[in-house]
Amino acid sequence: MAQRPVDIELLAPARDADIAIAAIDHGADAVYMGASHHGARADATNTLDDVGRACDHAHRYGARIYATVNTLVYDNELMEVERLVHDLYRVGVDALIVQDLALLRLDLPPIALHASTQCDLRTPDKARFLEALGFSQLVMARELTLDEVAAIRRVTTVPLEAFVHGALCVSYSGRCAISQVLKGRSANRGECAQLCRLPYDLVDDKGRMIIEGKHLLSLRDMARHDRLEQMMAAGISSFKIEGRLKDVGYVKNVVAFYRRAIDKVIDRYPERYRRASHGTVELAFEPAIEKSFNRGFTHYFLDERKPADGSSMASIDTPKSQGEYLGRVLRCNGNTLTIDTRASLANGDGLSFTNSRGEFTGVRVNRALGNGTVLLREQANISRGTRIYRTADKAFNDLLSKPSSTRTINVNAELRYTSGLLSLTLKDERGNRVTHTMPCDLQPAAKPQGDRQRAELAKLGGTIYRLGKAQVPEDIFIPASLLSQLRRETIDLLDRTYRITRPIDKRRPEDRTYRCPVTSLTPADNVANRLAETLYREHGVTDIVPALEAGTPPTASTPLMHTRYCIRRQLGACLKGKNATSLPRDLYLRTGSTLLRVNCDCKSCEMQLTRVQ
């Protein structure tokens, strides 16, 4: 018996309901967005009405809305979170993205639960445990290789989700304490201070300067659009775009780009994969990810612990957007700049480059003269050969600021007239079929009516539908007003039928006998309340040290960052490599009065940062 194709989901971020709707219209199969509180982006919250509005729009296409309730929860907040989940379920949310396992011990509606990336899912044992707890979807750690994902796929049955595009956290998600310890702002509570994007001095154990003022912890942005087929083969079925703080133009462009890329793989292997939602998207622009915010792109650890092509994982010169590479400077005289580029430049474009002091800076185009020559708004001194990037494409951004896509559901129609009854049957691509009948007295037509009747049935403006095939009685005259009424009422019946029959995911049962793969938990395991502690103890954990957020004081050995990224490897001085001695063995990062020790765990090929002062 042939296996059913795997549903492949494109999962988009949304700061608010309008962006969620735009993401759906540009091809997303699902959207994740924050509720009113307890989301891991404190600046991306939404009212219940707005979440419900996004749900109503998504569900018409068989798309889903996932609410992020993925922060740690304190004991005095548990009942508040419980009420929130009931409210989210009531307005139509399809699943919750969860970090704190306490939610599994609350009195919740039967809503599906997804294990957040903050759950730090890196091993098959951890994945099997989370599936046993009843999670319906598991979000992989960003750092995993294809082989590591495949190993997790072999021991699990629920869908696996992985990030495919966007900003990278340098630390393992859920295991970064630097913001909490240094600033009192917990990343696990949605308040990350973004200390990884700051400039740092690299110094030795005597305080001597090795590298000054570089963004040594700031990673490039992930882009895996060219590895989707391999990710699917490894077991990924949900492809997640990062960016719940990004604007609507970013979401439109990146979603549309990945929609096309994913569809190419699905079209190549229709027996293996299918789209997770319905509808045809038509765009008013050509998507290009390099035109949206990016720090340069990396596959990160997808292939191995060091990129096979030797490319950099970090963007140490700047944490700002690099944008789209245009070409090199041919001439710069005052405010006249000529670039060796084939790109069309426009008035208002933003251009960026690295100046003679090693700083990434920008200028604005006042007037584009053609052939790569522009007049800048201010004078500039840019050396011949300097690489120029476009960080703001005025023409492209103007396109995205307007309605830029339509998404429609294909519907086939069959119109019949028999024994005084006029009936219209509609069948859509979602699998729904409805028939609506009206009694009437109609007469034979003097001439064929097929074209006129099809044109009337195709008047579907204001709906999500587009007429496909239409079978009509060409020899019967049907007044336009009657056919219009029948069409409207049948479309309304089709809408109501889908709302009633739309499949809804439910929470999976928990295997209460399954044992946690470890028996001791440290503060990095983020137990912040009594219910999470109870759950772990019921699954065999005996020794639990609460999270830093719950009051456990940090010590000199507390990892402020735990990461697979390594500064030594980034700088070509891996302790296992031939250039190990090009840097001192003992390294420190300094910012202001804060000094952090770089601890290289060569056995695990990982790095930790601890605080010295």
Side-chain angles (χ1 to χ4, degrees), residues 178-180 183 185-187 190-198:
I178 191 167
S179 183
Q180 165 73 16
K183 296 294 184 181
R185 296 171 51 183
S186 170
E191 299 172 341
C192 178
Q194 297 281 302
L195 298 181
C196 55
R197 302 298 181 187
L198 294 179

Side-chain angles (χ1 to χ4, degrees), residues 50-66:
D50 280 343
V51 175
R53 181 159 62 92
C55 290
D56 290 343
H57 187 78
H59 292 165
R60 296 193 294 172
Y61 301 98
R64 293 176 166 83
I65 298 293
Y66 304 147

